[in-house]
Amino acid sequence: MAFGDLLDMVGGTGRFQIVHVTLLCVPVLMMASHNLLQNFVASVPPHHCSPHANVSALPLSAEEKLLVTAPLDLAGKPLRCQRYSAPRWRLLAANGSSAAEDDDYANPEEIHDDLEGCEDGWSYAMRERTSSIISDWDLVCDLRSLKQMGQTVYMGGVLVGAVIFGVLSDRYGRRILLIFSYLLMAVSGTCTAFSSSFSLFCLFRFGCGMALSGQSLNSFSLIVEWIPTRVRTVVGTITGYAYTFGQLILAAVAYFIRDWRWLTLAVSLPYYIFFLYAWWFHESSRWLFLNNKSEHGIKNLQSVAKINGRPKESEKLDVKMVQESMKKELVGSQDSYSFLDLFRTPTMRLTTISLSAVWFSTSFAYYGLSMDLQKFGVDIYLIQVIFGAVDIPAKVVVTVAMSLLGRRPSQCGALIIAGVTILANLLVPHDQQTVRTGLAVLGKGCLAASFNCCYLYSGELYPTVIRQNGMGFVSMTARIGSMVAPMVLLAGDYIPWVPGLIYGGAPILSGVVGIFLPETLGSPLPDTIQDVEDRGSGRRPKKETKDANSQDNEANLMKQVV
């Protein structure tokens, strides 16, 4: 493809690419903080019904108030959503405990008529967090499903953002939409921290979700469209590692900031800085050339050449050179495109359907495992670190696999292994918590590897003229998966094994579907839909001859890195 020759001409992987990728990766660190923020701002503290008014006024200890207020369940723990209709004062007597055990707890059904709901609200034992949206707005008992609803609304914002930003960035460019996304995240995150009600919280979290889609789609496109083919896998993995370390940063920040409002503000304020320095970013010259903005594209290439220390090469660049070298691509990009073009031709249609299944199941299972850390019975800060740290070896393995085996087997293998480990967890007894947690961590690592492969693989499969539409569409299917995932967790209240069966089955099925995707290892980025169809039919463009050995070059590079 002609643009690869122009990119090599101005420096390939010089100072510009290093600074450019670094500045784009820093905001990715904070993406994990917003995606997984729910684990900390919506952590559910131990709670029970508040004592009756006449009990609260007495000089009794908290344990004594609880004793006369809350009945015990069959496991000997205070009920969370019911209390005695009247205080059981006799339980404070010297022999009250044994009498109560005989009279009140032997047959809970017999005392059911003496119970009532939490008429005076709830009391919370804030051990791990000083506050959460659960304790602030009493999202417990009959309102407990609102916790999952909050995350679903956020993911709904991510879905809407994927559709809107995917279309707009193909029409108006990657850079300006990325700058707007940074500002939207900063403002929405700040407003979230000062929300006075759960409804406002959901509204502003919806805005954060939209901003996150704009950031992820345009950041990756600006990265992949400014780097040559031979280092695409390595750079794509570096971007993925930024998200991984962001998970570790979230655990550290949440550990030291225990108030949910200050935590939300802490992970949102950096976006004001990102908004300011993002004005330096260069718009993708590849996109500019294909949208009849050759003069602007030439200026960007000349700027890159100077930054990379090749001022003489910049003088050789002109519009005529670009038009001659990219004649085929420019002709193929004259038409306007929409998401419908993702389905018009055979190869594009097969690619879109298969990628949709891969993205949906990856996101569905990933957030199903990652969004309810309290269920593992381990300190939430520790399990967040473990879940984040497992991505490091997982992404090393998938990076080597993508470079040596190819994108397709790496993508399918990661999904199938993840599904198998999740299903295996169903066979492990609940008292073997260590084994269950270990399998969950392994499954989460495979899903993280799948995500890492998804972004790179999809960017290579879709052509430049409709890449953002394609990335936006498959990202939309992923967000549908992440929206459904919290709702599936609610099914576990009725049939405990159902969520695990669904979370494990989906990746295995999509791993099989992924076999139908074409391999892209060593192939230059396609610029037009015709390029994609040529690749699907086995025909190779003339410009691809120069990069015929890219696969060997990339494999050798990965061996050196590892």
Side-chain angles (χ1 to χ4, degrees), residues 49-305:
C49 294
S50 295
H52 304 76
N54 57 340
V55 176
S56 300
L58 295 175
L60 299 175
S61 66
E63 291 76 11
E64 291 173 328
K65 292 179 180 179
L66 180 61
L67 178 64
V68 301
T69 301
L72 305 182
D73 59 18
L74 295 177
K77 298 181 179 180
L79 294 178
R80 291 185 171 188
C81 301
Q82 289 181 305
R83 69 178 185 181
Y84 295 120
S85 57
R88 294 297 178 93
W89 299 111
R90 64 189 180 84
L91 297 181
L92 294 177
N95 297 323
S97 296
S98 59
E101 187 173 331
D102 294 336
D103 298 340
D104 295 325
Y105 306 120
N107 190 356
E109 287 79 4
E110 294 181 359
I111 64 169
H112 180 74
D113 293 338
D114 294 330
L115 301 181
E116 65 180 9
C118 300
E119 305 298 332
D120 296 312
W122 289 262
S123 296
Y124 299 93
M126 305 304 296
R127 298 168 185 170
E128 295 180 338
R129 312 289 301 167
T130 59
S131 72
S132 74
I133 64 171
I134 305 298
S135 60
D136 279 11
W137 296 313
D138 291 330
L139 305 182
V140 293
C141 296
D142 292 341
L143 298 180
R144 66 183 183 278
S145 62
L146 292 182
K147 172 190 174 181
Q148 306 300 346
M149 181 61 69
Q151 182 66 11
T152 297
V153 169
Y154 168 76
M155 288 301 177
V158 179
L159 186 153
V160 173
V163 176
I164 294 177
F165 285 105
V167 174
L168 293 182
S169 56
D170 269 337
R171 179 172 297 181
Y172 299 108
R174 288 73 160 111
R175 175 178 172 271
I176 190 63
L177 270 300
L178 179 60
I179 293 173
F180 176 76
S181 296
Y182 288 155
L183 180 61
L184 179 60
M185 180 68 84
V187 174
S188 297
T190 302
C191 292
T192 300
F194 292 99
S195 298
S196 57
S197 66
F198 180 68
S199 299
L200 287 176
F201 172 85
C202 290
L203 174 64
F204 295 126
R205 283 289 285 165
F206 185 87
C208 290
M210 288 186 62
L212 184 128
S213 271
Q215 178 189 344
S216 61
L217 288 172
N218 292 289
S219 293
F220 188 79
S221 289
L222 277 180
I223 289 173
V224 78
E225 292 178 5
W226 272 116
I227 57 174
T229 302
R230 60 181 178 274
V231 296
R232 200 185 302 148
T233 302
V234 177
V235 175
T237 301
I238 291 173
T239 306
Y241 271 120
Y243 185 88
T244 295
F245 286 110
Q247 297 179 63
L248 304 180
I249 291 174
L250 172 62
V253 174
Y255 181 82
F256 289 105
I257 304 178
R258 300 297 180 101
D259 182 273
W260 78 265
R261 295 183 184 274
W262 285 107
L263 175 61
T264 303
L265 195 61
V267 299
S268 301
L269 290 180
Y271 278 91
Y272 288 105
I273 299 175
F274 305 151
F275 168 74
L276 293 177
Y277 77 59
W279 292 95
W280 174 83
F281 291 149
H282 289 50
E283 180 58 87
S284 167
S285 285
R286 185 191 295 269
W287 177 86
L288 290 169
F289 290 146
L290 296 175
N291 283 271
N292 299 318
K293 300 180 180 180
S294 298
E295 293 184 0
H296 191 178
I298 290 293
K299 290 181 180 179
N300 281 359
L301 281 175
Q302 291 174 335
S303 174
V304 170

Side-chain angles (χ1 to χ4, degrees), residues 332-405:
S333 65
Q334 295 302 310
D335 299 328
S336 58
Y337 297 93
S338 69
F339 79 94
L340 294 177
D341 291 285
L342 299 173
F343 300 92
R344 291 191 193 282
T345 57
T347 304
M348 287 291 295
R349 182 164 53 249
L350 179 62
T351 297
T352 300
I353 293 174
S354 300
L355 280 178
S356 296
V358 167
W359 278 76
F360 175 88
S361 63
T362 300
S363 182
F364 173 72
Y366 183 92
Y367 287 103
L369 287 177
S370 301
M371 289 314 307
D372 192 15
L373 299 184
Q374 287 183 300
K375 67 185 176 185
F376 294 104
V378 182
D379 180 82
I380 58 174
Y381 306 102
L382 176 61
I383 195 67
Q384 178 65 61
V385 170
I386 294 174
F387 264 38
V390 72
D391 289 10
I392 299 175
K395 290 179 178 178
V396 168
V397 172
V398 79
T399 300
V400 175
M402 282 193 294
S403 295
L404 301 181
L405 303 178

Side-chain angles (χ1 to χ4, degrees), residues 489-512:
L489 287 174
L490 296 178
D493 294 341
Y494 307 97
I495 308 177
W497 51 266
V498 167
L501 178 64
I502 299 175
Y503 290 142
I508 294 176
L509 291 176
S510 64
V512 175

